[in-house]
Amino acid sequence: MSLALLIEQLLNGLQLGVMLFLIAAGLTLIFGVMGLINLAHGSLYMVGAFACASVAATTGSFWLGLVTSLAAAAAAGALMEVAVIRRLYARDHLDQVLATFALILVFSEGTRWLFGSFPLYLDIPPVLQGAVALPGGGQYPLYRLAIIAVGVLVAAGLYLLIGRTRLGMRIRAGETDREMIAALGVDIRALYTLVFALGAALAGLAGALVGALQSVQVGMGEPALILAFVVIVIGGIGSIKGALVGAVLVGLVDTMGRFLLPKLLALALPATQAGPVGAAIASMLIYILMALILAFRPSGLFSARS
């Protein structure tokens, strides 16, 4: 195993972690402020991917598609909050799960009606094509490095927004005592809609960025949503820092497990068995990690409610 290959897999894990952070940050923000379990968050990820792919195919501009993905996902999120989610805040979590699961079906069938059942493909913009040399003689795609950079910038931006601005102060207050800030004159409905639109825009951004690495298709949001829930459980509900740390942990553990376990098992098992067994165990690693963390930190690593 060469150094370049090891570095490449570490970067792949970091890139996966960054993508999960973009999805999980909005999800944990929505749950932390509103106490809402939103199973349709993955559908907003899909909306961003389809918006970017369709606009890029029509105009030939990936960047215009990227901007459109943010606007489309934020608008879809705001509309969802006003039309449906707003009626669920006082309901129990079972009602929220059922209603947002129904929204998954609505978004999936609506997307299939608009774009058809065949996947769309999104080209990497020319300026981000090519590769960067790695230590040891390997190369790594420039676009994946750009995704990592975007994730770092978004994390820094969210830290400044939540921790250093008046809006962030209201969001933090909404997490702890929403009745009090409503009594102080803050329009809690507008705050909820804004937070929901922000979380939706982050999911749409993730979908647009991933669209250039894989096909854009109906149902692509549900697998990402499952991983995002694992991330926020590990990191702690309501914590942006927890979402970042949890996403990086999940990305690295999943990627390195799929890379290293078959090789390690090949030392003790026949090659025909090491691959399937290693792949099966690797697929369970992030859930084992989640169980171990919850055994010692039941509220997650950085829970905002602990």
Side-chain angles (χ1 to χ4, degrees):
M1 181 174 62
S2 66
L3 175 62
L5 184 57
L6 180 61
I7 294 174
E8 180 182 353
Q9 295 304 316
L10 286 171
L11 288 173
N12 283 339
L14 185 58
Q15 182 254 307
L16 174 60
V18 163
M19 297 309 305
L20 292 176
F21 167 70
L22 292 176
I23 305 171
L27 192 61
T28 196
L29 196 61
I30 290 168
F31 190 89
V33 174
M34 306 174 187
L36 176 84
I37 299 176
N38 180 23
L39 295 186
H41 197 72
S43 297
L44 299 170
Y45 166 86
M46 179 184 68
V47 166
F50 270 95
C52 185
S54 59
V55 171
T58 302
T59 65
S61 172
F62 172 85
W63 306 110
L64 184 58
L66 190 63
V67 173
T68 304
S69 72
L70 289 168
L79 179 62
M80 182 195 304
E81 196 277 337
V82 170
V84 179
I85 301 300
R86 186 170 289 180
R87 294 161 174 78
L88 299 174
Y89 295 134
R91 309 289 288 270
D92 60 31
H93 289 322
L94 178 59
D95 290 340
Q96 296 171 358
V97 167
L98 291 174
T100 53
F101 179 76
L103 286 174
I104 294 177
L105 303 180
V106 171
F107 273 102
S108 294
E109 294 308 313
T111 303
R112 183 176 285 110
W113 178 70
L114 284 174
F115 298 100
S117 300
F118 295 101
L120 303 181
Y121 297 93
L122 188 60
D123 293 328
I124 295 174
V127 70
L128 294 178
Q129 292 177 358
V132 174
L134 296 177
Q139 291 189 325
Y140 196 74
L142 180 60
Y143 182 73
R144 290 180 179 268
L145 288 176
I147 291 177
I148 295 173
V150 168
V152 172
L153 291 175
V154 169
L158 285 175
Y159 169 77
L160 294 175
L161 175 67
I162 302 299
R164 302 296 177 88
T165 67
R166 182 176 296 273
L167 174 61
M169 180 179 66
R170 291 179 176 180
I171 291 173
R172 296 198 311 275
E175 290 180 321
T176 55
D177 196 340
R178 69 189 69 178
E179 290 81 10
M180 178 60 72
I181 65 167
L184 291 174
V186 175
D187 188 342
I188 195 71
R189 287 193 170 191
L191 179 65
Y192 280 7
T193 303
L194 183 60
V195 170
F196 207 95
L198 174 61
L202 292 175
L205 174 63
L209 294 175
V210 166
L213 299 177
Q214 64 182 47
S215 61
V216 176
Q217 55 189 332
V218 175
M220 63 183 290
E222 282 66 61
L225 178 70
I226 293 172
L227 293 178
F229 272 117
V230 172
V231 165
I232 65 172
V233 169
I234 289 175
I237 293 172
S239 171
I240 296 297
K241 179 171 69 172
L244 178 60
V245 174
V248 171
L249 278 175
V250 168
L252 289 175
V253 168
D254 184 69
T255 302
M256 297 309 295
R258 295 177 189 277
F259 173 61
L260 291 176
L261 270 179
K263 292 178 170 52
L264 293 175
L265 289 176
L267 300 176
L269 297 175
T272 55
Q273 298 179 15
V277 173
I281 297 175
S283 66
M284 298 185 291
L285 279 181
I286 59 173
Y287 304 103
I288 296 173
L289 172 67
M290 179 176 68
L292 289 174
I293 289 176
L294 290 181
F296 295 98
R297 304 273 299 186
S299 297
L301 295 176
F302 302 98
S303 176
R305 298 187 173 187
S306 59

